[in-house]
Amino acid sequence: MQEAVPATEGDGGHGSRRAPRKHRVLRWSAATLAVLILAAAGTGYVYYRHLNANIEQDDLNLGDNKVAEPTPNAAGQTPLNILLIGSDARDSKENQELGGARETFGSTPLADVQMLLHLSADRSNLSVVSMPRDTLVKIPKCTDPDDGKVYPASEGRVMTNQSLGHGGPGCTVATWQELTGIHIDHFVMVDFAGVVSMADAIGGVPVCVDANIHSRDSQGHGSGLKLEKGTTSVKGEQALQWLRTRYGFEDGSDLARAKAQHMYMNSMVRELRANATLSSPNKLRKLAEQATGALTVDSGLGSVKELYDLSNELRKVDPGRITMTTMPNRYVGARVEPTEDAEQLFRLVRDDIALDGKDAKKTTTAKAEDTSDDPAAAKDEIGVLVQNGTRTDTLAAARGRASTVAGLLTEKGFEKAVSDRSASLSEAKTLVRYPSAELEGDAQAVAKSLGIPMSSVKKSTDVSGVTLVVGADWREGTTYKAPKKDDSTPKTAEALNGADDTACMHVNPGFTW
């Protein structure tokens, strides 16, 4: 993202400072390589134990709130959600030699790359959702499993990459679950020291630019990447430069960098499937060694066998059914926040709907709309705050909507429903929010009484009780008409198909040569 003050390529932050951004590499690469090729190395038991010992483990979820697992489909299958975390830890000689700043050695690491990988229940498709590291979120309370230190929930919103410093990767998992409502089964965390050697091991990854590029400006900002127009197979440090390049791609933001990383991942997956050099046991052993040494995982993935089982699941998906996306967002100063389209994207993942729009008709054992296991209180005991959220970019708030809808609820038996006359909000659609699991049933009862779909009932730490926000989709009348369900992937997610080998990064004219 663009900074308010001058900074070198890759500036980020530890505490009140932003740490160098140039380390924001696609650490996901190492994880992908590990789960795709580990077991193919053909090793014996001693070496198998050696590889197991290479893999570090940490707790899966450090938060207090858990998200229920998805309901199995008719065949008894459930989706698999894996959070891929790229740590910017500068705690090794290798990382320092790749550009880690000496003054940040040993500092609290940041989760500078975060990608949710969703494998469909029927294993037919794979979706990846990237969250920009500058996304503003509320980090929940997390407890460090090593020393028991409790990190309180953040006061207001902070950058999502800070979650890793609140006890470990399990807090990043907890933050994602709080934001998205998606149950996460595993995490894989990687630093960037092994990326260079692994790029060499697979023989390079083809990438494309639409003009000559040199990522370096007059003040020395840039990754140093220098390529000619067209397709080049990058490996070693050049691959690292591609993955961390911000200056020179499109508008120079982290969003452009994420797009370049998606292209790299898609190309890498195609190379792993087609590259004949990986049939060499020695090369596979070397790749397995590098990959396992770079990983930290939860206990459910803490062995070569478990990673191999995962790799078998992932390899069932054809590249043509892989969809890479970026969480839809809008700028808030020099940061970003999720938009309504982001919630649409999260819902598609929660509901196991393929982002490429090629789902077969599904048969499921789930109810038409999932309802809470927590029973609702009696209507006359449920407190409801009704807010007017009908204001839009072009229209003022519709007068009296909070009072009108609060009156409707009172007529339906919700005697404690009151309107909030001080709030004038802007929400595209009507929502019912609740702060904690014990109020979910109450919130759903409110929604059901007004014909609001369960998909519009959201957990939110922004409210202290059940809160109904009357959106711009209900500016008049006393009957709510739910909008037609839309299962398409938002255009703002900038979806990229895994089989697309024609994609090229647009080069900023100021960085050509």
Side-chain angles (χ1 to χ4, degrees):
M1 307 235 7
Q2 300 292 346
E3 299 297 333
V5 295
T8 58
E9 168 75 353
D11 278 359
H14 291 275
S16 62
R17 297 176 65 249
R18 305 276 321 264
R21 286 183 181 221
K22 67 181 181 180
H23 313 308
R24 199 166 324 119
V25 181
L26 186 58
R27 287 82 174 187
W28 191 83
S29 304
T32 305
L33 290 166
V35 297
L36 287 176
I37 55 80
L38 265 177
T43 59
Y45 179 66
V46 174
Y47 190 65
Y48 172 82
R49 290 187 61 185
H50 166 72
L51 290 179
N52 281 344
N54 275 354
I55 305 169
E56 293 188 21
Q57 297 183 40
D58 215 323
D59 286 17
L60 175 62
N61 191 331
L62 306 185
D64 292 339
N65 298 322
K66 312 301 178 186
V67 174
E69 297 184 20
T71 304
N73 62 15
Q77 303 165 303
T78 54
L80 193 60
N81 294 307
I82 306 160
L83 186 62
L84 307 171
I85 304 168
S87 165
D88 77 339
R90 295 156 172 85
D91 54 3
S92 71
K93 179 181 178 181
E94 291 80 7
N95 285 340
Q96 289 286 311
E97 289 177 348
L98 288 170
R102 290 184 176 84
E103 67 271 17
T104 60
F105 184 86
S107 300
T108 302
L110 299 171
D112 273 354
V113 174
Q114 299 177 34
M115 297 184 180
L116 180 69
L117 186 154
H118 172 83
L119 183 61
S120 66
D122 63 6
R123 306 305 189 248
S124 67
N125 64 88
L126 185 70
S127 303
V128 177
V129 179
S130 296
M131 185 188 296
R133 54 142 5 223
D134 290 347
T135 301
L136 296 175
V137 298
K138 286 191 174 182
I139 300 175
K141 183 184 81 172
C142 291
T143 304
D144 191 319
D146 295 327
D147 58 15
K149 179 178 179 180
V150 175
Y151 292 83
S154 62
E155 296 183 6
R157 298 187 303 175
V158 298
M159 283 171 55
T160 183
N161 65 346
Q162 295 180 24
S163 59
L164 186 58
H166 289 221
C171 194
T172 306
V173 170
T175 301
W176 267 78
Q177 290 198 158
E178 290 278 334
L179 176 67
T180 67
I182 299 169
H183 173 80
I184 295 176
D185 302 281
H186 300 292
F187 74 81
V188 176
M189 183 171 72
V190 195
D191 67 18
F192 63 86
V195 172
V196 171
S197 57
M198 285 189 291
D200 288 340
I202 64 171
V205 175
V207 295
C208 179
V209 288
D210 66 1
N212 294 349
I213 181 174
H214 187 199
S215 179
R216 188 75 72 201
D217 67 11
S218 59
Q219 295 179 309
H221 300 154
S223 69
L225 179 71
K226 189 172 185 179
L227 297 175
E228 293 183 356
K229 177 181 178 180
T231 299
T232 304
S233 183
V234 296
K235 56 184 179 180
E237 191 165 0
Q238 197 172 44
L240 191 68
Q241 290 173 334
W242 174 275
L243 295 169
R244 71 190 190 196
T245 291
R246 179 163 62 93
Y247 290 93
F249 284 157
E250 299 186 348
D251 63 355
S253 71
D254 274 351
L255 305 179
R257 188 196 327 249
K259 185 176 180 180
Q261 291 175 347
H262 290 168
M263 290 183 185
Y264 183 94
M265 288 194 300
N266 283 342
S267 185
M268 181 183 65
V269 170
R270 291 193 297 269
E271 288 299 298
L272 283 169
R273 288 174 175 267
N275 198 322
T277 65
L278 293 181
S279 63
S280 165
N282 287 334
K283 290 184 178 180
L284 285 173
R285 287 192 186 99
K286 179 181 177 182
L287 193 51
E289 186 82 32
Q290 296 291 340
T292 53
L295 298 180
T296 299
V297 299
D298 65 278
S299 59
L301 291 178
S303 72
V304 173
K305 180 185 182 304
E306 286 158 336
L307 286 169
Y308 175 55
D309 290 343
L310 175 61
S311 75
N312 278 341
E313 295 294 286
L314 294 173
R315 293 170 79 173
K316 293 175 182 178
V317 182
D318 183 89
R321 297 300 312 278
I322 297 174
T323 306
M324 305 283 183
T325 63
T326 298
M327 181 197 77
N329 59 83
R330 58 177 161 252
Y331 280 99
V332 181
R335 309 287 180 245
V336 298
E337 65 181 3
T339 62
E340 285 294 318
D341 281 354
E343 172 51 36
Q344 166 77 348
L345 189 64
F346 298 152
R347 181 186 67 79
L348 295 178
V349 174
R350 286 196 302 267
D351 293 348
D352 195 27
I353 296 171
L355 299 186
D356 61 6
K358 298 178 181 177
D359 261 336
K361 187 174 182 181
K362 294 186 178 183
T363 303
T364 178
T365 57
K367 291 174 285 186
E369 288 195 297
D370 293 331
T371 54
S372 173
D373 293 331
D374 177 54
K379 289 183 178 180
D380 60 0
E381 296 179 359
I382 298 176
V384 187
L385 180 67
V386 184
Q387 297 179 327
N388 188 343
T390 58
R391 177 170 51 84
T392 72
D393 292 340
T394 57
L395 297 172
R399 290 191 176 187
R401 292 307 294 158
S403 298
T404 298
V405 177
L408 288 176
L409 286 171
T410 301
E411 291 175 6
K412 293 177 181 292
F414 294 90
E415 298 176 3
K416 294 185 177 181
V418 295
S419 61
D420 181 359
R421 302 188 180 213
S422 64
S424 178
L425 308 177
S426 178
E427 289 288 349
K429 65 179 182 179
T430 299
L431 301 170
V432 182
R433 294 178 169 137
Y434 61 96
S436 54
E438 62 268 18
L439 291 179
E440 183 180 18
D442 294 357
Q444 290 185 345
V446 170
K448 185 176 180 181
S449 71
L450 295 173
I452 299 170
M454 294 300 106
S455 60
S456 294
V457 179
K458 306 293 181 185
K459 184 178 178 182
S460 172
T461 55
D462 290 332
V463 298
S464 58
V466 177
T467 303
L468 169 62
V469 184
V470 183
D473 60 347
W474 197 12
R475 289 179 59 87
E476 59 185 19
T478 56
T479 302
Y480 179 70
K481 296 180 181 180
K484 185 178 179 181
K485 191 173 181 181
D486 179 11
D487 287 342
S488 62
T489 300
K491 291 183 179 179
T492 52
E494 297 187 350
L496 180 65
N497 185 271
D500 184 0
D501 59 1
T502 64
C504 251
M505 282 304 297
H506 174 62
V507 175
N508 186 308
F511 291 84
T512 59
W513 56 276

Coordinates of all heavy atoms in Angstrom, one line a residue, residues 382-386 405-407 409-410 414-419:
I382 N -36.3 -10.6 24.7 CA -35.2 -10.3 23.8 C -35.1 -8.8 23.5 O -36.0 -8.2 23.0 CB -35.3 -11.0 22.4 CG1 -35.3 -12.6 22.6 CG2 -34.2 -10.6 21.5 CD1 -35.6 -13.4 21.4
G383 N -34.0 -8.2 23.9 CA -33.7 -6.8 23.7 C -33.2 -6.6 22.2 O -32.3 -7.3 21.8
V384 N -33.8 -5.7 21.5 CA -33.4 -5.4 20.1 C -33.2 -3.9 19.9 O -34.1 -3.2 20.2 CB -34.4 -6.0 19.1 CG1 -33.9 -5.8 17.7 CG2 -34.8 -7.4 19.4
L385 N -32.0 -3.5 19.4 CA -31.8 -2.2 19.1 C -31.9 -2.1 17.6 O -31.2 -2.8 16.8 CB -30.4 -1.7 19.5 CG -30.0 -0.3 19.2 CD1 -30.9 0.7 20.0 CD2 -28.5 0.0 19.5
V386 N -32.8 -1.2 17.1 CA -33.0 -1.0 15.6 C -32.3 0.3 15.2 O -32.6 1.4 15.7 CB -34.5 -1.0 15.3 CG1 -34.7 -0.9 13.8 CG2 -35.2 -2.2 15.9
V405 N -39.6 0.0 12.0 CA -39.3 -1.4 12.1 C -39.3 -1.8 13.6 O -39.7 -2.9 13.9 CB -37.9 -1.7 11.4 CG1 -37.6 -3.2 11.6 CG2 -38.0 -1.4 10.0
A406 N -38.9 -0.9 14.5 CA -39.0 -1.3 15.9 C -40.4 -1.5 16.3 O -40.8 -2.4 17.1 CB -38.4 -0.1 16.8
G407 N -41.3 -0.7 15.7 CA -42.8 -0.9 16.0 C -43.3 -2.2 15.4 O -44.1 -2.9 16.1
L409 N -41.6 -4.9 15.2 CA -41.1 -6.0 16.1 C -41.9 -6.0 17.4 O -42.2 -7.1 17.9 CB -39.6 -5.7 16.5 CG -38.6 -6.1 15.4 CD1 -37.2 -5.6 15.7 CD2 -38.6 -7.6 15.1
T410 N -42.3 -4.8 17.9 CA -43.1 -4.8 19.1 C -44.5 -5.5 18.8 O -45.0 -6.2 19.7 CB -43.4 -3.3 19.5 OG1 -42.1 -2.7 19.7 CG2 -44.2 -3.2 20.8
F414 N -41.9 -8.7 20.3 CA -40.6 -8.3 20.8 C -40.7 -6.9 21.6 O -40.4 -5.9 21.0 CB -39.6 -8.1 19.7 CG -39.2 -9.5 19.0 CD1 -40.0 -9.9 17.9 CD2 -38.2 -10.3 19.5 CE1 -39.7 -11.1 17.3 CE2 -37.9 -11.5 18.8 CZ -38.7 -11.9 17.8
E415 N -41.2 -7.0 22.8 CA -41.6 -5.8 23.5 C -40.4 -4.9 23.9 O -40.6 -3.7 24.2 CB -42.3 -6.2 24.8 CG -43.6 -7.0 24.5 CD -44.3 -7.5 25.8 OE1 -43.8 -7.2 26.9 OE2 -45.4 -8.1 25.7
K416 N -39.2 -5.5 23.9 CA -38.0 -4.7 24.3 C -37.3 -4.1 23.0 O -36.2 -3.6 23.2 CB -37.0 -5.5 25.1 CG -37.6 -6.0 26.4 CD -36.5 -6.7 27.2 CE -37.1 -7.1 28.6 NZ -36.1 -7.8 29.4
A417 N -38.0 -4.1 21.9 CA -37.4 -3.5 20.7 C -37.4 -2.0 20.8 O -38.5 -1.4 21.1 CB -38.1 -4.0 19.4
V418 N -36.3 -1.3 20.6 CA -36.3 0.1 20.6 C -35.5 0.7 19.4 O -34.6 0.0 18.9 CB -35.6 0.7 21.9 CG1 -36.4 0.3 23.1 CG2 -34.2 0.1 22.0
S419 N -35.8 1.9 19.0 CA -35.0 2.5 17.9 C -33.9 3.3 18.4 O -33.9 3.9 19.5 CB -36.0 3.3 17.0 OG -36.5 4.4 17.8

